[in-house]
Amino acid sequence: DEVRVCVEKAFTLAQVDERLFSSFIEHLGRAIYTGIYEPGHPLADEQGFRTDVIDFVKDLRVPLIRYPGGNFLSGYRWMDGIGPKEKRPVRLDVAWKTLEPNEIGIGEFYDWTRKVGSKVMGSVNMGTGTVQDAADFFEYCNYPGGTYLSDLRRQNGHDAPFDIRTWCIGNEMDGHWQICHLDAADYGKKALETIKMLKWIDPQSEAVVCGSSSGLMKSFPEWDRIVLEHTYEKADFISLHRYYENFDNDDDFLASFVELGTYIKAAIATADYVKALKRSAKTMYLSLDEWNVWYQRRQEPHDWQKAPSILEDHYSLLDALVVGGLGLTLLNNANRVKIACLAQLVNVIAPIFTKEGGSAIRQTIYYPFRDISLHGRGVVLTPVVHGPKKETKYGDCPLVETAVIHDEEGKTVTVFCLNTGKNDLVEFTLDMRSFGKLRMSFWTCLTGKDLSAENTFEKPNAVNPRNMPVEKTAASTFSITLPPLSWNVMKFA
Ligand code: AHR
């Protein structure tokens, strides 16, 4: 098979917002306790944070980390997590039926994000929480001092405000599983009043309103339309969530990125409909603040335990290829998707996996996510692609999906490509004449014979990208043979 890609540097789509490479940590299972925080661990720092996990997160260069939930959020009392640890209450977490010890709260999480080089993407409880609870949380986090709540933060050891600029106004409020789920109009009204408080307290803050919890919800896109009709002029983003499953058809599963593109386009159309209805000059951006592969759902019964193993998917090479494809869809929609959070980051459907008292490993999906985060910054170009397509349940899927990033400062061009063909060595021709002559500086490839291969504590590097031989001579057209079922990153300078 042959695929021809013509890259023209003037055909720009958008400057990538680095928040596209964000992630998510919820008080859920072992994400916090024995994930990022394990005071007795030999590698724990003075605050009890695992330094092996810190190092893995740092390498991903994650700009924002959404916190504290997720479904957990809709029953969370943020004041439980502040003040002396020994006085904090142990609570029932009704969302996940576990015990929440509250040893970590906003102050500790903020400290951890600084250690990993990230910022907090805050979220406020729109389930059991009131508008006043949310406003109190904004004040505690962002108001400098001289009020009861800001001084409380200072007494608790944080003199300077946390300056949390991006706030999710609730989580998945369209879902019947959500604590105190609302209908779209009720949520829209509550979200509007909450955003007004947010922006009065901190005019620099941005608000993400809850869109649908998946494009598969029967209420999508009506929910989104109604929520936006209530909040359009005050909100900055509408959220999307989407997880992909393998229904025992690898071709369909590999085409998940096609479906993500369709979902994003439908959300954009909905937002733009409301824009037209309101005669607004403002464009609504999207925050895909939960995305990943998630389908294994292996878990032990865990009623009312502290930090049980929940949603600990073990990812395969195939899952990593799918995550790579989803990353390409994010880049190719960077004109409207400004924030995206890989859900989640540690242990719970996550690229980083820990053993209590033991080591930490990088799951297979760590690598494509790291690739897009490290090499996906710059201007997204829209190449012209000629190549075969195959039919899948999500529509026609290109044999090779690509994304091209021009980093004008670094003077490099990065070409990402996913070969979805099982038996197809692809002759991939890249025409980059508009850049003059370029040299290929590297090519890494994630592939393998066994699609079910995983990284384990015994074999932590079983699935790993490898360096491919590169053409050293300067050229304007490159011919590359892509291995079947492979995730590739090529850099030209
Ligand atoms: O990420 C796991 C869960 O998935 C989150 O708590 C929820 O928001 C979503 O349904």
Side-chain angles (χ1 to χ4, degrees):
D1 284 305
E2 238 185 272
V3 174
R4 288 192 357 258
V5 175
C6 181
V7 182
E8 163 54 60
K9 74 168 161 197
F11 293 174
T12 58
L13 176 77
Q15 175 75 40
V16 174
D17 186 321
E18 66 158 12
R19 293 176 295 177
L20 211 55
F21 313 116
S22 299
S23 191
F24 173 34
I25 289 214
E26 178 170 4
H27 282 251
L28 196 186
R30 299 193 309 114
I32 301 268
Y33 307 108
T34 75
I36 67 168
Y37 175 77
E38 193 180 331
H41 193 280
L43 295 175
D45 69 7
E46 68 296 343
Q47 282 187 289
F49 292 122
R50 288 185 61 149
T51 53
D52 51 352
V53 174
I54 289 176
D55 289 343
F56 280 171
V57 177
K58 264 187 185 163
D59 287 348
L60 291 172
R61 282 187 70 193
V62 184
L64 291 182
I65 303 181
R66 185 167 172 253
Y67 173 85
N71 296 337
F72 169 79
L73 176 70
S74 299
Y76 182 52
R77 286 169 266 212
W78 67 269
M79 287 190 95
D80 288 349
I82 61 169
K85 281 197 186 187
E86 60 287 359
K87 291 206 176 133
R88 296 186 193 173
V90 175
R91 298 267 192 198
L92 295 181
D93 163 21
V94 180
W96 297 104
K97 301 197 173 44
T98 58
L99 287 190
E100 173 51 55
N102 284 303
E103 286 164 44
I104 295 290
I106 187 62
E108 292 82 16
F109 192 75
Y110 168 80
D111 291 342
W112 181 78
T113 55
R114 290 181 60 108
K115 292 178 182 188
V116 298
S118 303
K119 290 189 174 146
V120 180
M121 178 181 191
S123 52
V124 286
N125 175 354
M126 290 284 104
T128 58
T130 63
V131 174
Q132 185 64 63
D133 295 330
D136 288 350
F137 197 27
F138 302 142
E139 182 182 333
Y140 183 85
C141 292
N142 285 8
Y143 197 75
T147 64
Y148 172 73
L149 287 166
S150 56
D151 286 345
L152 194 55
R153 182 199 67 242
R154 296 169 77 182
Q155 280 161 35
N156 289 333
H158 290 92
D159 202 40
F162 299 141
D163 282 340
I164 299 174
R165 293 281 171 246
T166 316
W167 288 93
C168 299
I169 311 300
N171 176 71
E172 296 191 347
M173 295 306 295
D174 61 326
H176 60 82
W177 59 87
Q178 204 64 216
I179 298 171
C180 298
H181 149 74
L182 295 171
D183 72 26
D186 287 344
Y187 168 71
K189 286 177 205 158
K190 188 169 177 181
L192 176 68
E193 297 311 314
T194 308
I195 301 171
K196 280 160 58 183
M197 295 287 262
L198 168 66
K199 296 197 173 185
W200 284 332
I201 293 169
D202 181 359
Q204 290 182 62
S205 290
E206 292 185 314
V208 183
V209 288
C210 292
S212 292
S213 51
S214 147
L216 304 177
M217 295 294 286
K218 282 211 176 78
S219 48
F220 175 78
E222 269 301 276
W223 165 278
D224 308 66
R225 175 187 67 77
I226 297 167
V227 168
L228 284 176
E229 283 192 33
H230 283 87
T231 58
Y232 199 87
E233 292 305 339
K234 297 277 179 218
D236 302 280
F237 301 90
I238 180 146
S239 75
L240 293 79
H241 290 180
R242 189 67 169 98
Y243 295 98
Y244 288 91
E245 305 188 30
N246 189 352
F247 300 101
D248 291 327
N249 180 326
D250 292 355
D251 284 335
D252 287 341
F253 187 40
L254 278 160
S256 299
F257 68 88
V258 174
E259 202 282 337
L260 181 61
T262 309
Y263 176 34
I264 288 172
K265 294 286 186 286
I268 292 171
T270 308
D272 289 350
Y273 167 79
V274 180
K275 176 179 183 171
L277 190 73
K278 297 213 169 252
R279 277 78 173 145
S280 174
K282 170 178 171 183
T283 298
M284 183 62 57
Y285 291 103
L286 310 187
S287 170
L288 179 65
D289 44 43
E290 291 188 31
W291 70 274
N292 203 348
V293 163
W294 168 20
Y295 59 100
Q296 296 170 359
R297 295 166 208 271
R298 289 191 284 233
Q299 63 189 65
E300 306 297 322
H302 61 261
D303 276 2
W304 312 119
Q305 293 166 30
K306 177 188 160 186
S309 142
I310 309 182
L311 312 183
E312 297 195 354
D313 277 27
H314 298 286
Y315 290 109
S316 66
L317 170 61
L318 176 61
D319 298 329
L321 298 176
V322 173
V323 164
L326 298 171
L328 298 183
T329 298
L330 292 181
L331 292 170
N332 288 327
N333 287 279
N335 54 331
R336 293 299 289 271
V337 183
K338 298 291 174 189
I339 302 176
C341 304
L342 180 74
Q344 299 192 8
L345 190 54
V346 183
N347 289 337
V348 174
I349 42 173
I352 299 167
F353 197 69
T354 68
K355 187 184 267 179
E356 184 173 358
S359 58
I361 58 170
R362 299 176 185 94
Q363 294 228 57
T364 60
I365 62 168
Y366 183 96
Y367 295 106
F369 181 65
R370 186 180 67 180
D371 286 339
I372 59 162
S373 175
L374 299 193
H375 305 293
R377 296 164 197 239
V379 174
V380 186
L381 303 181
T382 46
V384 178
V385 182
H386 294 283
K389 293 192 169 181
K390 58 189 170 189
E391 226 180 277
T392 70
K393 77 179 229 188
Y394 297 130
D396 283 351
C397 173
L399 176 63
V400 174
E401 176 67 347
T402 56
V404 182
I405 308 293
H406 182 199
D407 174 1
E408 286 161 320
E409 265 172 46
K411 298 193 171 41
T412 59
V413 183
T414 302
V415 179
F416 296 95
C417 46
L418 174 72
N419 180 2
T420 67
K422 275 204 172 105
N423 310 306
D424 317 52
L425 272 177
V426 172
E427 280 317 311
F428 186 71
T429 307
L430 259 177
D431 177 344
M432 304 214 273
R433 256 173 286 183
S434 64
F435 289 94
K437 297 241 177 210
L438 292 172
R439 275 199 173 77
M440 194 178 197
S441 53
F442 74 74
W443 169 15
T444 61
C445 181
L446 186 70
T447 188
K449 288 207 172 66
D450 179 9
L451 278 182
S452 64
E454 295 174 1
N455 291 337
T456 59
F457 290 107
E458 294 69 40
K459 284 193 178 165
N461 298 313
V463 182
N464 216 332
R466 60 172 196 263
N467 289 319
M468 302 294 276
V470 297
E471 179 60 63
K472 293 271 179 343
T473 45
S476 47
T477 301
F478 297 83
S479 269
I480 298 141
T481 306
L482 299 178
L485 292 173
S486 60
W487 163 255
N488 303 275
V489 186
M490 299 163 198
K491 181 92 85 187
F492 301 85

